[in-house]
Amino acid sequence: MRGYVAVEGLMVVDWRRVPAADFRIPEGAGLADLTAELTGLLGDPDPALRSEVAVPVLTTWIERGVYDDLMVGLGDGIATGLTATRPADRAVLRRTSSAAVLGAVLARDNRRTLVPREKVLEWGDRLATWLLAETELGAGAIAVGADALGELVASPRCGRGELRAVLDVLGERVVADTTGPWQAGEAD
């Protein structure tokens, strides 16, 4: 696929072309480099790069099995974004986008069983911790967090105790003080 532009002798992916090309993996670059670049875009202030490119490309590649052999490492890497604090003006974007992608990792594992139970539960703990601590709700954090937790509870790895814990997290989040009204479909 053509989708590169030359920058000082380097080949850089024109990410806006990838969704239009049926999300095909750009030729000539390693998956690790592509993933690192996409992960960086999860906190981009440009909503088109973040929400129309980075999240859809990563989630599509996850759904298509591109990362099946790398799922634990990918999930761990994405989960680190749940604690992003820098740069401060984009950290909430990174945290929320990371939750969306981690939800896709969990969904893929629900269909294929690619990750050990302990890892799924660890990611669930990280999602719950993030969702309870998140104070900047304007980026749709509640809706995205609820979707990701929905994938967690759909996991055959979750027993009654884990399901109870997720219900407690949701209860705490719903009654927590907020600085403004929810506006991203959170009621659903």
Side-chain angles (χ1 to χ4, degrees):
M1 174 186 129
R2 303 195 73 198
Y4 290 98
V5 293
V7 178
E8 297 180 22
L10 300 174
M11 298 306 283
V12 179
V13 175
D14 180 356
W15 286 108
R16 294 176 197 269
R17 289 183 168 190
V18 173
D22 191 35
F23 297 94
R24 284 191 303 273
I25 298 171
E27 296 172 8
L31 186 59
D33 292 335
L34 295 170
T35 303
E37 194 171 335
L38 282 168
T39 302
L41 293 176
L42 291 176
D44 199 281
D46 181 346
L49 281 175
R50 186 181 62 255
S51 301
E52 297 171 21
V53 176
V55 171
V57 169
L58 282 166
T59 58
T60 299
W61 289 358
I62 291 165
E63 290 166 4
R64 291 181 178 174
V66 170
Y67 295 107
D68 280 1
D69 293 337
L70 309 167
M71 198 63 77
V72 172
L74 177 68
D76 283 345
I78 295 297
T80 63
L82 296 172
T83 57
T85 59
R86 296 274 186 251
D89 62 331
R90 299 187 322 212
V92 67
L93 303 174
R94 174 68 187 270
R95 292 189 303 264
T96 303
S97 296
S98 294
V101 175
L102 192 55
V105 169
L106 291 166
R108 180 70 179 169
D109 183 69
N110 288 345
R111 289 190 302 281
R112 296 289 313 271
T113 311
L114 301 165
V115 180
R117 179 180 191 274
E118 298 76 29
K119 189 55 70 175
V120 168
L121 299 180
E122 175 189 326
W123 294 338
D125 286 343
R126 293 176 83 173
L127 278 167
T129 300
W130 160 73
L131 187 59
L132 288 172
E134 186 60 70
T135 59
E136 299 179 50
L137 306 179
I142 298 297
V144 170
D147 289 345
L149 287 176
E151 293 299 342
L152 174 68
V153 300
S155 173
R157 294 358 181 323
C158 285
R160 293 182 100 162
E162 289 83 18
L163 296 175
R164 234 180 265 113
V166 169
L167 188 57
D168 289 343
V169 166
L170 293 175
E172 281 185 52
R173 183 71 254 189
V174 167
V175 300
D177 288 333
T178 62
T179 57
W182 290 349
Q183 51 189 316
E186 293 90 344
D188 294 340

